[in-house]
Protein backbone atom coordinates (compact mmCIF):
# COMPACT_ATOMS: atom_id res chain seq x y z
CA UNK A 1 0.00 0.00 0.00
CA UNK A 2 1.11 3.56 -0.63
CA UNK A 3 -0.10 6.57 1.26
CA UNK A 4 -0.68 9.81 -0.59
CA UNK A 5 -0.87 13.31 0.80
CA UNK A 6 -1.84 16.56 -0.85
CA UNK A 7 0.16 19.18 0.96
CA UNK A 8 -2.21 21.92 -0.11
CA UNK A 9 -5.13 20.73 1.97
CA UNK A 10 -3.61 18.24 4.37
CA UNK A 11 -5.83 15.53 2.95
CA UNK A 12 -4.23 12.15 3.42
CA UNK A 13 -5.66 9.19 1.60
CA UNK A 14 -4.61 5.61 1.09
CA UNK A 15 -4.52 4.30 -2.43
CA UNK A 16 -4.75 0.74 -1.18
CA UNK A 17 -3.99 -1.79 -3.90
CA UNK A 18 -5.14 0.46 -6.71
CA UNK A 19 -1.93 0.11 -8.71
CA UNK A 20 -2.01 3.84 -9.54
CA UNK A 21 0.74 5.94 -7.97
CA UNK A 22 0.14 9.54 -6.95
CA UNK A 23 3.13 11.85 -6.92
CA UNK A 24 2.82 14.85 -4.65
CA UNK A 25 5.02 17.64 -3.45
CA UNK A 26 7.16 20.16 -5.19
CA UNK A 27 8.97 19.25 -8.41
CA UNK A 28 12.61 20.18 -8.66
CA UNK A 29 13.77 22.67 -11.24
CA UNK A 30 14.67 21.21 -14.57
CA UNK A 31 13.47 21.06 -18.15
CA UNK A 32 9.80 21.99 -18.15
CA UNK A 33 9.79 22.54 -14.37
CA UNK A 34 11.45 25.93 -13.99
CA UNK A 35 8.15 27.51 -13.06
CA UNK A 36 7.95 31.22 -12.26
CA UNK A 37 5.92 32.71 -9.47
CA UNK A 38 3.60 34.13 -12.11
CA UNK A 39 2.22 30.62 -12.39
CA UNK A 40 1.28 30.67 -8.72
CA UNK A 41 -1.15 33.56 -9.12
CA UNK A 42 -4.11 31.21 -9.06
CA UNK A 43 -2.90 29.18 -6.08
CA UNK A 44 -0.45 30.93 -3.77
CA UNK A 45 -2.75 33.89 -3.15
CA UNK A 46 -5.53 31.53 -2.09
CA UNK A 47 -3.64 28.84 -0.18
CA UNK A 48 -1.34 29.49 2.73
CA UNK A 49 0.59 27.35 5.18
CA UNK A 50 -1.34 24.15 5.88
CA UNK A 51 -3.91 25.05 3.22
CA UNK A 52 -5.50 27.94 5.19
CA UNK A 53 -6.65 30.96 3.19
CA UNK A 54 -4.35 33.96 3.53
CA UNK A 55 -5.71 37.21 4.87
CA UNK A 56 -5.86 40.39 2.84
CA UNK A 57 -2.27 41.31 3.69
CA UNK A 58 -1.01 37.82 2.85
CA UNK A 59 -2.86 37.83 -0.45
CA UNK A 60 -1.42 41.22 -1.38
CA UNK A 61 2.10 40.10 -0.51
CA UNK A 62 1.73 37.00 -2.64
CA UNK A 63 0.46 39.08 -5.56
CA UNK A 64 3.39 41.45 -5.24
CA UNK A 65 5.80 38.53 -5.26
CA UNK A 66 4.26 37.24 -8.46
CA UNK A 67 5.17 40.46 -10.21
CA UNK A 68 8.91 39.98 -9.65
CA UNK A 69 10.26 39.28 -13.16
CA UNK A 70 13.35 37.36 -12.05
CA UNK A 71 11.98 35.66 -8.97
CA UNK A 72 11.25 31.94 -9.40
CA UNK A 73 9.82 29.30 -7.10
CA UNK A 74 8.48 25.76 -7.53
CA UNK A 75 4.90 25.00 -8.48
CA UNK A 76 2.47 24.90 -5.55
CA UNK A 77 1.45 21.46 -4.35
CA UNK A 78 -2.11 21.72 -5.68
CA UNK A 79 -0.70 21.96 -9.19
CA UNK A 80 2.22 19.58 -8.80
CA UNK A 81 0.25 16.50 -7.75
CA UNK A 82 0.46 13.87 -10.50
CA UNK A 83 -1.62 10.71 -10.80
CA UNK A 84 -0.02 7.88 -12.77
CA UNK A 85 -1.74 6.76 -15.97
CA UNK A 86 -0.43 3.19 -15.87
CA UNK A 87 -1.39 0.79 -13.09
CA UNK A 88 -3.52 -2.19 -12.16
CA UNK A 89 -6.63 -0.03 -12.08
CA UNK A 90 -7.48 3.06 -14.07
CA UNK A 91 -7.00 6.37 -12.31
CA UNK A 92 -10.07 8.34 -11.28
CA UNK A 93 -11.73 5.55 -9.32
CA UNK A 94 -10.06 5.52 -5.90
CA UNK A 95 -8.16 8.75 -6.61
CA UNK A 96 -9.10 11.46 -4.07
CA UNK A 97 -12.02 13.51 -5.38
CA UNK A 98 -10.99 16.50 -7.49
CA UNK A 99 -12.56 19.96 -7.57
CA UNK A 100 -13.58 19.95 -11.25
CA UNK A 101 -15.05 17.19 -13.38
CA UNK A 102 -16.37 16.52 -16.88
CA UNK A 103 -18.37 13.47 -17.90
CA UNK A 104 -18.73 12.88 -21.62
CA UNK A 105 -20.18 10.06 -23.72
CA UNK A 106 -19.47 9.32 -27.38
CA UNK A 107 -21.09 7.18 -30.02
CA UNK A 108 -18.95 5.59 -32.72
CA UNK A 109 -19.53 7.22 -36.08
CA UNK A 110 -21.56 5.36 -38.75
CA UNK A 111 -19.33 2.75 -40.33
CA UNK A 112 -16.78 2.80 -37.50
CA UNK A 113 -16.10 -0.57 -35.91
CA UNK A 114 -13.51 -2.49 -33.93
CA UNK A 115 -10.53 -1.23 -35.96
CA UNK A 116 -11.53 2.42 -35.61
CA UNK A 117 -12.33 1.93 -31.91
CA UNK A 118 -8.87 0.46 -31.27
CA UNK A 119 -7.18 3.36 -33.05
CA UNK A 120 -9.29 5.83 -31.05
CA UNK A 121 -8.48 4.20 -27.71
CA UNK A 122 -4.80 4.26 -28.66
CA UNK A 123 -4.98 8.00 -29.40
CA UNK A 124 -6.94 8.73 -26.25
CA UNK A 125 -4.55 6.74 -24.07
CA UNK A 126 -1.52 8.52 -25.51
CA UNK A 127 -3.14 11.90 -24.87
CA UNK A 128 -4.31 10.99 -21.37
CA UNK A 129 -0.86 9.74 -20.33
CA UNK A 130 0.78 12.98 -21.49
CA UNK A 131 -1.77 15.31 -19.92
CA UNK A 132 -1.81 13.46 -16.60
CA UNK A 133 1.98 13.95 -16.49
CA UNK A 134 1.54 17.68 -17.09
CA UNK A 135 2.85 17.48 -20.65
CA UNK A 136 1.30 18.95 -23.82
CA UNK A 137 -1.17 16.71 -25.59
CA UNK A 138 0.70 16.87 -28.90
CA UNK A 139 1.27 19.14 -31.86
CA UNK A 140 -2.35 20.32 -31.77
CA UNK A 141 -2.20 21.29 -28.09
CA UNK A 142 -4.33 24.39 -27.49
CA UNK A 143 -2.09 25.83 -24.75
CA UNK A 144 -5.02 26.29 -22.38
CA UNK A 145 -3.12 24.62 -19.51
CA UNK A 146 0.30 25.84 -20.59
CA UNK A 147 1.20 27.39 -17.21
CA UNK A 148 -0.18 24.66 -14.96
CA UNK A 149 1.14 21.42 -13.54
CA UNK A 150 -0.73 18.08 -13.60
CA UNK A 151 -3.17 19.27 -10.90
CA UNK A 152 -4.26 15.69 -10.06
CA UNK A 153 -5.69 15.24 -13.55
CA UNK A 154 -7.26 11.86 -14.23
CA UNK A 155 -8.83 10.60 -17.45
CA UNK A 156 -10.88 7.40 -17.14
CA UNK A 157 -12.40 5.41 -20.02
CA UNK A 158 -15.34 3.02 -20.19
CA UNK A 159 -17.46 1.06 -22.67
CA UNK A 160 -21.25 1.08 -22.84
CA UNK A 161 -23.57 -1.81 -23.72
CA UNK A 162 -23.97 -0.63 -27.33
CA UNK A 163 -20.20 -0.50 -27.90
CA UNK A 164 -20.05 -4.27 -28.20
CA UNK A 165 -22.71 -4.35 -30.89
CA UNK A 166 -20.94 -1.64 -32.87
CA UNK A 167 -17.60 -3.47 -32.71
CA UNK A 168 -19.06 -6.98 -33.17
CA UNK A 169 -17.72 -8.04 -29.79
CA UNK A 170 -21.00 -9.12 -28.22
CA UNK A 171 -19.46 -12.43 -27.15
CA UNK A 172 -17.09 -10.46 -24.89
CA UNK A 173 -19.74 -8.21 -23.37
CA UNK A 174 -19.97 -8.74 -19.58
CA UNK A 175 -23.30 -9.85 -18.14
CA UNK A 176 -22.83 -7.08 -15.54
CA UNK A 177 -23.36 -4.58 -18.37
CA UNK A 178 -26.97 -5.63 -18.95
CA UNK A 179 -29.27 -2.57 -18.86
CA UNK A 180 -30.26 -1.33 -15.43
CA UNK A 181 -33.85 -2.00 -14.37
CA UNK A 182 -36.45 0.75 -14.48
CA UNK A 183 -37.07 2.68 -11.26
CA UNK A 184 -40.29 4.52 -10.47
CA UNK A 185 -38.41 7.76 -9.74
CA UNK A 186 -36.73 7.78 -13.17
CA UNK A 187 -37.55 10.57 -15.60
CA UNK A 188 -34.73 9.74 -17.97
CA UNK A 189 -33.78 11.68 -21.08
CA UNK A 190 -32.52 9.13 -23.61
CA UNK A 191 -30.45 11.79 -25.36
CA UNK A 192 -28.40 12.29 -22.19
CA UNK A 193 -28.14 8.61 -21.24
CA UNK A 194 -25.88 5.67 -22.12
CA UNK A 195 -23.44 5.84 -25.06
CA UNK A 196 -20.86 3.63 -26.79
CA UNK A 197 -17.90 5.19 -24.99
CA UNK A 198 -17.63 7.13 -21.74
CA UNK A 199 -14.87 9.40 -20.43
CA UNK A 200 -14.54 10.82 -16.92
CA UNK A 201 -12.16 13.76 -16.45
CA UNK A 202 -11.22 15.17 -13.06
CA UNK A 203 -8.65 17.76 -11.95
CA UNK A 204 -7.98 20.27 -9.19
CA UNK A 205 -7.78 23.09 -11.73
CA UNK A 206 -10.68 24.00 -14.01
CA UNK A 207 -8.46 24.98 -16.94
CA UNK A 208 -6.49 21.73 -16.72
CA UNK A 209 -9.75 19.77 -16.78
CA UNK A 210 -11.13 21.79 -19.71
CA UNK A 211 -7.86 21.36 -21.59
CA UNK A 212 -8.15 17.59 -21.24
CA UNK A 213 -11.79 17.69 -22.33
CA UNK A 214 -10.96 19.57 -25.52
CA UNK A 215 -8.03 17.24 -26.27
CA UNK A 216 -10.26 14.18 -25.90
CA UNK A 217 -12.91 15.74 -28.13
CA UNK A 218 -10.29 16.65 -30.73
CA UNK A 219 -8.79 13.16 -30.71
CA UNK A 220 -12.19 11.62 -31.40
CA UNK A 221 -11.85 12.94 -34.94
CA UNK A 222 -14.14 11.19 -37.41
CA UNK A 223 -14.31 8.00 -35.33
CA UNK A 224 -16.85 9.15 -32.74
CA UNK A 225 -19.29 11.96 -32.03
CA UNK A 226 -20.32 13.46 -28.70
CA UNK A 227 -23.59 12.02 -27.40
CA UNK A 228 -23.76 14.08 -24.22
CA UNK A 229 -21.54 16.05 -21.86
CA UNK A 230 -21.98 17.07 -18.23
CA UNK A 231 -19.80 19.41 -16.17
CA UNK A 232 -19.37 19.25 -12.41
CA UNK A 233 -17.49 20.67 -9.46
CA UNK A 234 -16.59 20.06 -5.84
CA UNK A 235 -14.91 22.03 -3.11
CA UNK A 236 -11.39 23.21 -3.95
CA UNK A 237 -8.53 21.64 -1.95
CA UNK A 238 -7.57 23.97 0.88
CA UNK A 239 -10.96 25.70 1.07
CA UNK A 240 -11.63 24.24 4.53
CA UNK A 241 -9.46 24.49 7.62
CA UNK A 242 -9.17 20.72 7.78
CA UNK A 243 -9.93 17.82 5.42
CA UNK A 244 -13.66 17.14 5.27
CA UNK A 245 -16.10 14.88 3.47
CA UNK A 246 -17.65 16.79 0.58
CA UNK A 247 -21.04 18.48 0.85
CA UNK A 248 -23.67 18.31 -1.87
CA UNK A 249 -25.88 21.18 -3.03
CA UNK A 250 -28.46 20.35 -0.36
CA UNK A 251 -25.80 21.29 2.15
CA UNK A 252 -25.49 17.74 3.44
CA UNK A 253 -22.18 15.95 4.01
CA UNK A 254 -22.22 13.27 1.32
CA UNK A 255 -20.02 10.17 1.22
CA UNK A 256 -19.49 9.37 4.89
CA UNK A 257 -20.13 5.64 4.54
CA UNK A 258 -18.09 5.23 1.37
CA UNK A 259 -15.83 2.14 1.30
CA UNK A 260 -12.27 3.14 2.13
CA UNK A 261 -9.18 1.86 0.25
CA UNK A 262 -7.82 0.73 3.62
CA UNK A 263 -10.83 -1.56 4.18
CA UNK A 264 -9.85 -5.23 3.84
CA UNK A 265 -12.73 -5.87 1.41
CA UNK A 266 -12.35 -2.66 -0.64
CA UNK A 267 -10.92 -4.34 -3.74
CA UNK A 268 -13.50 -7.12 -3.52
CA UNK A 269 -16.35 -4.60 -3.53
CA UNK A 270 -15.01 -2.12 -6.07
CA UNK A 271 -12.77 -3.97 -8.55
CA UNK A 272 -13.30 -7.00 -10.77
CA UNK A 273 -11.05 -9.85 -9.55
CA UNK A 274 -8.26 -11.26 -11.71
CA UNK A 275 -10.06 -14.60 -11.96
CA UNK A 276 -13.34 -13.18 -13.24
CA UNK A 277 -14.79 -13.43 -16.72
CA UNK A 278 -14.45 -11.87 -19.18
CA UNK A 279 -10.70 -11.80 -18.56
CA UNK A 280 -10.24 -8.36 -20.16
CA UNK A 281 -12.18 -6.80 -17.24
CA UNK A 282 -9.67 -7.99 -14.61
CA UNK A 283 -8.78 -5.05 -12.38
CA UNK A 284 -11.64 -3.04 -13.82
CA UNK A 285 -14.85 -1.69 -12.33
CA UNK A 286 -18.39 -0.80 -13.36
CA UNK A 287 -19.55 2.81 -13.26
CA UNK A 288 -23.19 3.76 -12.79
CA UNK A 289 -23.60 7.36 -13.92
CA UNK A 290 -26.74 9.37 -13.12
CA UNK A 291 -27.71 13.02 -13.47
CA UNK A 292 -29.83 13.64 -10.39
CA UNK A 293 -31.62 16.97 -10.30
CA UNK A 294 -32.18 18.37 -6.82
CA UNK A 295 -35.41 20.31 -6.30
CA UNK A 296 -33.58 22.91 -4.27
CA UNK A 297 -36.34 25.52 -4.06
CA UNK A 298 -38.60 22.96 -2.38
CA UNK A 299 -35.84 21.47 -0.22
CA UNK A 300 -34.64 24.81 1.08
CA UNK A 301 -38.11 25.67 2.36
CA UNK A 302 -38.01 22.70 4.75
CA UNK A 303 -37.14 23.48 8.37
CA UNK A 304 -33.73 22.21 9.39
CA UNK A 305 -35.19 19.50 11.60
CA UNK A 306 -37.22 18.07 8.70
CA UNK A 307 -34.17 18.11 6.42
CA UNK A 308 -32.18 16.20 9.02
CA UNK A 309 -34.98 13.69 9.56
CA UNK A 310 -35.18 13.02 5.80
CA UNK A 311 -31.44 12.34 5.68
CA UNK A 312 -31.01 10.75 9.13
CA UNK A 313 -27.97 12.88 9.92
CA UNK A 314 -27.21 16.30 11.38
CA UNK A 315 -26.58 18.91 8.72
CA UNK A 316 -23.89 20.68 10.74
CA UNK A 317 -21.41 17.83 11.01
CA UNK A 318 -22.94 14.77 9.33
CA UNK A 319 -23.31 12.86 12.59
CA UNK A 320 -26.20 10.34 12.71
CA UNK A 321 -29.28 11.48 14.60
CA UNK A 322 -28.67 8.54 16.93
CA UNK A 323 -25.61 10.40 18.25
CA UNK A 324 -21.84 10.61 17.97
CA UNK A 325 -19.72 12.09 15.22
CA UNK A 326 -19.83 11.81 11.43
CA UNK A 327 -18.10 8.43 11.44
CA UNK A 328 -20.13 6.94 14.32
CA UNK A 329 -22.05 3.85 13.27
CA UNK A 330 -25.79 4.35 12.86
CA UNK A 331 -27.84 3.05 15.79
CA UNK A 332 -30.83 1.93 13.78
CA UNK A 333 -32.49 0.32 16.80
CA UNK A 334 -32.40 3.46 18.97
CA UNK A 335 -35.79 4.92 19.89
CA UNK A 336 -36.76 8.36 21.13
CA UNK A 337 -39.09 9.34 24.03
CA UNK A 338 -42.02 9.15 21.61
CA UNK A 339 -41.31 5.48 20.96
CA UNK A 340 -40.32 6.10 17.35
CA UNK A 341 -36.90 5.30 15.82
CA UNK A 342 -34.51 8.23 16.22
CA UNK A 343 -33.46 7.60 12.61
CA UNK A 344 -36.75 7.43 10.75
CA UNK A 345 -37.71 4.29 8.85
CA UNK A 346 -37.66 6.25 5.58
CA UNK A 347 -34.48 8.23 6.32
CA UNK A 348 -31.99 8.11 3.47
CA UNK A 349 -29.11 7.05 5.73
CA UNK A 350 -31.09 4.07 7.07
CA UNK A 351 -32.31 2.80 3.71
CA UNK A 352 -28.92 3.15 2.01
CA UNK A 353 -26.90 1.60 4.85
CA UNK A 354 -24.99 -1.55 3.81
CA UNK A 355 -26.38 -3.47 6.79
CA UNK A 356 -29.88 -2.80 5.41
CA UNK A 357 -28.93 -4.10 1.98
CA UNK A 358 -27.16 -7.37 2.62
CA UNK A 359 -23.79 -5.62 2.73
CA UNK A 360 -24.23 -4.05 -0.73
CA UNK A 361 -21.90 -1.11 -1.13
CA UNK A 362 -20.47 1.11 -3.85
CA UNK A 363 -17.86 3.83 -4.01
CA UNK A 364 -19.75 7.05 -4.67
CA UNK A 365 -17.54 9.61 -6.38
CA UNK A 366 -19.89 12.37 -7.45
CA UNK A 367 -19.64 15.92 -8.71
CA UNK A 368 -22.21 18.67 -8.17
CA UNK A 369 -23.59 20.51 -11.17
CA UNK A 370 -25.39 23.78 -11.87
CA UNK A 371 -26.55 24.43 -15.41
CA UNK A 372 -28.44 27.68 -14.84
CA UNK A 373 -32.19 28.08 -14.49
CA UNK A 374 -34.61 25.55 -15.95
CA UNK A 375 -37.66 26.44 -18.01
CA UNK A 376 -39.83 26.32 -14.88
CA UNK A 377 -37.67 28.97 -13.21
CA UNK A 378 -36.01 26.61 -10.73
CA UNK A 379 -32.28 25.87 -10.46
CA UNK A 380 -31.09 23.19 -12.90
CA UNK A 381 -28.69 21.84 -10.30
CA UNK A 382 -27.91 18.66 -8.47
CA UNK A 383 -25.56 15.70 -8.46
CA UNK A 384 -23.58 13.96 -11.19
CA UNK A 385 -23.72 10.64 -9.41
CA UNK A 386 -20.88 8.24 -10.27
CA UNK A 387 -20.86 4.95 -8.36
CA UNK A 388 -18.12 2.32 -8.72
CA UNK A 389 -18.51 -1.37 -7.93
CA UNK A 390 -17.28 -4.79 -8.97
CA UNK A 391 -20.82 -5.78 -9.95
CA UNK A 392 -23.71 -3.29 -10.30
CA UNK A 393 -26.23 -6.06 -9.72
CA UNK A 394 -24.75 -6.48 -6.23
CA UNK A 395 -23.93 -2.82 -5.60
CA UNK A 396 -26.11 -0.12 -7.13
CA UNK A 397 -29.22 -2.07 -8.12
CA UNK A 398 -30.32 -3.50 -4.72
CA UNK A 399 -29.67 -0.20 -2.94
CA UNK A 400 -31.50 1.88 -5.55
CA UNK A 401 -34.46 -0.50 -5.50
CA UNK A 402 -34.86 0.07 -1.77
CA UNK A 403 -34.42 3.82 -2.10
CA UNK A 404 -36.98 3.82 -4.91
CA UNK A 405 -39.57 2.24 -2.63
CA UNK A 406 -39.50 4.69 0.25
CA UNK A 407 -36.56 7.09 0.57
CA UNK A 408 -37.64 10.36 2.18
CA UNK A 409 -35.27 12.24 -0.15
CA UNK A 410 -37.02 10.95 -3.28
CA UNK A 411 -39.56 13.78 -3.14
CA UNK A 412 -36.70 16.24 -3.65
CA UNK A 413 -34.77 14.38 -6.36
CA UNK A 414 -35.33 13.73 -10.07
CA UNK A 415 -33.24 11.12 -11.90
CA UNK A 416 -32.93 12.66 -15.38
CA UNK A 417 -30.17 10.65 -17.10
CA UNK A 418 -28.50 7.29 -16.59
CA UNK A 419 -25.69 5.17 -17.92
CA UNK A 420 -23.76 2.02 -17.09
CA UNK A 421 -20.21 1.49 -18.31
CA UNK A 422 -17.60 -1.26 -18.12
CA UNK A 423 -14.30 0.36 -17.15
CA UNK A 424 -11.40 -2.02 -17.88
CA UNK A 425 -8.33 -2.32 -15.69
CA UNK A 426 -5.47 0.10 -16.00
CA UNK A 427 -3.07 -0.25 -18.92
CA UNK A 428 0.38 -1.71 -18.46
CA UNK A 429 3.38 0.24 -19.74
CA UNK A 430 3.17 0.30 -23.53
CA UNK A 431 -0.55 -0.61 -23.56
CA UNK A 432 -3.61 1.49 -24.27
CA UNK A 433 -6.87 1.27 -22.34
CA UNK A 434 -9.04 -1.55 -23.63
CA UNK A 435 -6.27 -3.22 -25.61
CA UNK A 436 -6.92 -6.59 -23.99
CA UNK A 437 -10.51 -6.41 -25.26
CA UNK A 438 -9.92 -4.98 -28.71
CA UNK A 439 -6.85 -7.01 -29.65
CA UNK A 440 -7.42 -10.35 -27.90
Amino acid sequence: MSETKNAANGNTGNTGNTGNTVRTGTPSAGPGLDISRRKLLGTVGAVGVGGLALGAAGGAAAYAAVEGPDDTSPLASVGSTEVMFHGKHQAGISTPLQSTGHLIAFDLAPGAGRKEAAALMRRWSTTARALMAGEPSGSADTGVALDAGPSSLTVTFGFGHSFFDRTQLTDRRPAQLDPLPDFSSDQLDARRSNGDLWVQIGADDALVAFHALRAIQHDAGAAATVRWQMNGFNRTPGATAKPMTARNLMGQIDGTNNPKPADPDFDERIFVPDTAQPAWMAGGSYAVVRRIRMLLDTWEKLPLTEQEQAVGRRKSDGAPLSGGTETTKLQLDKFGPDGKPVIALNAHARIAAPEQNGGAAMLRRAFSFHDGIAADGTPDAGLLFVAWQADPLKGFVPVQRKLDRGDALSAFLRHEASGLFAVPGGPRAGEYVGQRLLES
Side-chain angles (χ1 to χ4, degrees):
M1 295 188 181
S2 60
E3 186 178 78
T4 65
K5 182 173 183 179
N6 186 324
N9 64 5
N11 184 24
T12 300
N14 195 310
T15 61
N17 296 317
T18 64
N20 290 103
T21 305
V22 181
R23 291 178 180 167
T24 60
T26 303
S28 58
L33 291 176
D34 186 10
I35 301 169
S36 71
R37 286 187 179 232
R38 188 175 302 276
K39 298 173 184 177
L40 300 182
L41 181 57
T43 54
V44 173
V47 181
V49 176
L52 299 177
L54 294 172
Y63 186 88
V66 166
E67 292 305 299
D70 298 320
D71 195 9
T72 61
S73 66
L75 187 68
S77 57
V78 170
S80 67
T81 303
E82 176 186 352
V83 184
M84 298 296 100
F85 175 71
H86 296 289
K88 183 176 181 180
H89 314 298
Q90 284 197 62
I93 301 175
S94 57
T95 307
L97 193 61
Q98 302 109 316
S99 63
T100 301
H102 299 292
L103 308 179
I104 183 167
F106 294 82
D107 286 333
L108 290 172
R114 179 174 175 179
K115 178 181 177 181
E116 290 76 15
L120 174 57
M121 294 309 302
R122 189 179 293 109
R123 289 197 300 274
W124 273 352
S125 296
T126 297
T127 293
R129 186 213 60 76
L131 293 179
M132 286 170 59
E135 302 167 2
S137 61
S139 59
D141 191 277
T142 61
V144 171
L146 191 61
D147 306 311
S151 302
S152 298
L153 174 68
T154 58
V155 186
T156 316
F157 302 99
F159 304 119
H161 187 275
S162 56
F163 176 83
F164 297 85
D165 296 295
R166 300 296 305 278
T167 56
Q168 298 183 344
L169 290 169
T170 54
D171 60 325
R172 300 180 193 175
R173 180 164 52 205
Q176 292 83 356
L177 206 53
D178 287 350
L180 296 172
D182 294 329
F183 300 103
S184 63
S185 59
D186 286 353
Q187 299 182 38
L188 305 182
D189 179 355
R191 296 169 300 177
R192 294 192 292 184
S193 299
N194 302 313
D196 294 341
L197 295 152
W198 175 70
V199 185
Q200 174 191 257
I201 296 169
D204 280 334
D205 179 79
L207 284 179
V208 168
F210 177 81
H211 180 236
L213 175 68
R214 292 297 296 147
I216 291 296
Q217 291 172 329
H218 177 271
D219 279 352
T225 57
V226 175
R227 180 179 178 90
W228 54 258
Q229 180 191 323
M230 302 175 189
N231 309 313
F233 59 90
N234 278 303
R235 182 172 275 147
T236 302
T240 57
K242 61 181 181 180
M244 295 182 64
T245 309
R247 290 185 184 270
N248 60 36
L249 297 189
M250 288 179 160
Q252 300 290 335
I253 290 178
D254 192 345
T256 298
N257 273 343
N258 253 342
K260 307 295 190 296
D263 295 344
D265 60 352
F266 180 84
D267 280 10
E268 177 184 342
R269 290 183 171 192
I270 308 305
F271 295 112
V272 176
D274 294 342
T275 57
Q277 293 296 324
W280 65 267
M281 271 297 291
S285 189
Y286 292 91
V288 173
V289 181
R290 301 212 124 197
R291 186 184 196 269
I292 304 176
R293 174 114 171 258
M294 294 177 171
L295 307 183
L296 294 178
D297 283 353
T298 305
W299 172 258
E300 291 165 0
K301 291 176 183 176
L302 282 184
L304 176 61
T305 53
E306 292 185 29
Q307 290 183 354
E308 292 181 333
Q309 287 167 2
V311 176
R313 292 180 176 275
R314 293 199 299 258
K315 193 171 186 177
S316 61
D317 59 4
L321 296 184
S322 53
T325 65
E326 179 192 346
T327 57
T328 300
K329 187 176 180 179
L330 303 173
Q331 296 184 51
L332 300 178
D333 57 353
K334 185 175 182 177
F335 293 84
D338 58 0
K340 296 180 180 180
V342 174
I343 299 176
L345 296 178
N346 65 346
H348 181 81
R350 173 188 286 272
I351 295 177
E355 55 266 37
Q356 298 291 104
N357 294 279
M362 50 195 154
L363 178 63
R364 290 162 291 143
R365 198 176 181 279
F367 292 94
S368 293
F369 74 87
H370 180 217
D371 292 334
I373 303 300
D376 60 3
T378 62
D380 186 8
L383 198 70
L384 300 182
F385 175 89
V386 183
W388 299 93
Q389 59 258 286
D391 185 343
L393 296 178
K394 297 178 180 178
F396 172 79
V397 171
V399 176
Q400 185 58 34
R401 275 179 172 154
K402 289 198 69 173
L403 292 172
D404 198 47
R405 290 197 292 264
D407 177 23
L409 280 184
S410 294
F412 308 97
L413 303 175
R414 184 180 298 158
H415 292 244
E416 297 183 334
S418 180
L420 171 61
F421 302 95
V423 176
R428 306 183 187 100
E431 278 188 343
Y432 62 85
V433 175
Q435 182 170 333
R436 279 163 261 174
L437 164 66
L438 291 165
E439 296 189 12
S440 61

